[in-house]
Amino acid sequence: MSDNQDHDTPDDVDHDTTPPANRSLLTIAGVLLLLPIVALMWVSSYSRVEPKLGAFPFFIWYQFLWVFLCSACTYTAYRLVLKARPHRRMTSDAPKDQEPSR
């Protein structure tokens, strides 16, 4: 049995290439991922008691707020990366009217 006998893909399709990525969107995604890291590692900016939120000092509720902000930044960065790297069809003979499922 030969190596090409099991493959029905044409030889003119290069599967090792990828479409160009939008570098500006990837940069924005990187900044969104760095935001929580910088905000939480800069402890002197939130190492205080005032302003209180109910019985919670600023030090506690600021960090808790970043739990939600970090998830929003991560999700937004994920969506930007998906948009920055477009999907490429695997074969050249794929139907043009059929959208890839995500």
Side-chain angles (χ1 to χ4, degrees):
M1 188 184 312
S2 73
D3 290 336
N4 287 338
Q5 195 173 17
D6 295 334
H7 299 83
D8 292 331
T9 59
D11 291 332
D12 61 338
V13 176
D14 185 11
H15 294 289
D16 294 330
T17 61
T18 58
N22 185 338
R23 291 192 184 267
S24 61
L25 287 179
L26 291 177
T27 302
I28 294 170
V31 168
L32 282 173
L33 293 174
L34 279 176
L35 253 166
I37 295 170
V38 171
L40 291 171
M41 288 193 67
W42 184 23
V43 178
S44 64
S45 70
Y46 62 91
S47 177
R48 58 182 187 260
V49 176
E50 297 293 329
K52 287 187 173 185
L53 184 64
F56 297 102
F58 182 71
F59 182 78
I60 300 295
W61 68 260
Y62 178 81
Q63 291 180 54
F64 188 67
L65 175 67
W66 272 104
V67 170
F68 301 105
L69 292 176
C70 184
S71 351
C73 288
T74 304
Y75 178 74
T76 305
Y78 168 73
R79 297 302 296 179
L80 285 173
V81 168
L82 285 181
K83 187 172 185 160
R85 293 181 168 169
H87 177 71
R88 180 180 54 85
R89 296 185 189 276
M90 292 304 292
T91 60
S92 63
D93 59 347
K96 301 288 187 226
D97 60 339
Q98 184 180 10
E99 283 292 318
S101 60
R102 290 188 187 213

